[in-house]
Amino acid sequence: MHGFDAADWLAISPLAALTVGLLVLLVLDLAPGTAILRVPVFLGSLIAAAGFELRILREQPALVFDGTLASGPTTALWGLVFLASLLVAWTAAQRFYREERRFLVEHDVLMMSSVVGMMLMAGAQNLLVFFVGLELLSVPLYALASFERSRSTSVEAGVKYFVLGAFAAAIFLYGAALIYAGTGTISLPRLREIGIGSPIALLGTALVFGSLFFKVSVFPFHLWVPDVYQGSPTPVTALMATGTKAAGFAFLLEIAFLLPARATGIVVAIALLTMAAGNLGALVQNDLKRMLAWSGIAHAGTLLLAVAGSLAGDPHAGGARTASIFYMAAYVVTAGGAFVLVAALEADTGEPVTLVSLRGLARRRPGAAAAMGAFMLSLGGIPLTGGFLGKYLVFAVAVRAGLVAAAVAGVLLSVVALGYYLRVVVAMYMQPEAETAGASEAEPRRGLALFAASACAAGVLLLGILPGWLLDRL
């Protein structure tokens, strides 16, 4: 391998910024009296990484490190999405973990490590590099899911995620091994040249996609999501629901070429089944975290339609990638903002957030209710929100690729989703307050979480009303 050049250094600069930041946090944790530096170091690392991503955004696409890693505007945009999901989750954690102050540094380091893994996954041009990123993402999340050791549901969520995640990782490795046995390479550029022809390589491809479907919670690999999301601490759930999903789809789009064109119908069927399963599951939920978990499954199905459009031959070059990045950017501020509010309400009341506890929220906390209402409308795809335009772009990819029936079915299933999103709005604005709500609730605590929720609500509206500032860069 050749020595590092400027392109190599620039490509890894965001990863290096986060890595240096988490190492500094670990060192500071050993020195007494340095706890006050935790927040500046954490935020400084994020700002440095975002600055490097903006620098990469102006560069031409390139392959670095002997073609094992991609660097360019696409990876930079995905990186900014990951950093945004980390920031949103971190703001929620500042209030939620106030009783776990002794372990805040560990919590921050684990979160930063998972985002390093996301960045590797998005830029990987080699199946082994992707696996390293996958494990850097997954292992910290196993610990974060069970971070609240005093809650049995949190420990259970961590164990479930670990067992199933380890099984999915083994499937990925076995699939990669079969691809290597059939083609003699695991390099994506090389696989683009020679294609996948042998039966053993096709079987390996199926296993690799099955593993990725687990990571992005696609049918039939989605049943772990409600239990793990509900049991995990809410800030961790926010990171899993946004950043992990974005990283998985970033690589799915990168390796879509491995699937033969005749597999388009199977991908479309899986996408629609995922949307149906997610929406029907969410319709019967009363716990808001569990409802958002099923909702996230439905959104994974919607995004999978963009992958199907890419596979079917969307004539608009890069259309699926553009739609996916915009969709995930909107989803980060929408679902992330909703989880921030859920974490804030849980921290105030000490109880799970349900539809009953949300009754009369507009009278008790009009600002929080307005933000939550904006998030629900965006998730439902109501016009003038980022969620609406994200869905429009995905369905447009399907239509251009000739998947008109799939796009129509997707739109109809999205209409079904309004049934449970509007239940939240109705509970907050149109139903009387529960008798026990006011008695058990603490006074609202203004702070970083509420500011983050307001910023996310503004982002939802900005992406819906003035999307050009992002679309022009995609």
Side-chain angles (χ1 to χ4, degrees), residues 171 174-176 178-179 196 198-210:
I171 290 177
Y174 189 51
L178 292 178
I179 290 175
I196 297 288
S198 66
I200 191 172
L202 286 173
L203 176 59
T205 300
L207 292 176
V208 165
F209 273 82

Side-chain angles (χ1 to χ4, degrees), residues 121 130 134 137 161 168 209-219 221-222 224-225 229 240-253 270 274 293 295-304 307 328 331:
M121 290 166 65
F130 171 81
L134 179 64
L137 162 71
Y161 194 36
F209 273 82
S211 173
L212 291 174
F213 284 173
F214 166 84
K215 187 56 64 177
V216 298
S217 63
V218 166
F219 180 91
F221 309 98
H222 66 289
W224 61 275
V225 174
Y229 278 25
M240 285 194 291
T242 56
T244 302
K245 196 182 301 294
F249 273 105
F251 193 69
L252 268 176
L253 287 166
I270 292 174
T274 303
S295 162
I297 295 170
H299 283 279
T302 305
L303 264 177
L304 195 59
V307 178
M328 281 311 307
Y331 189 74

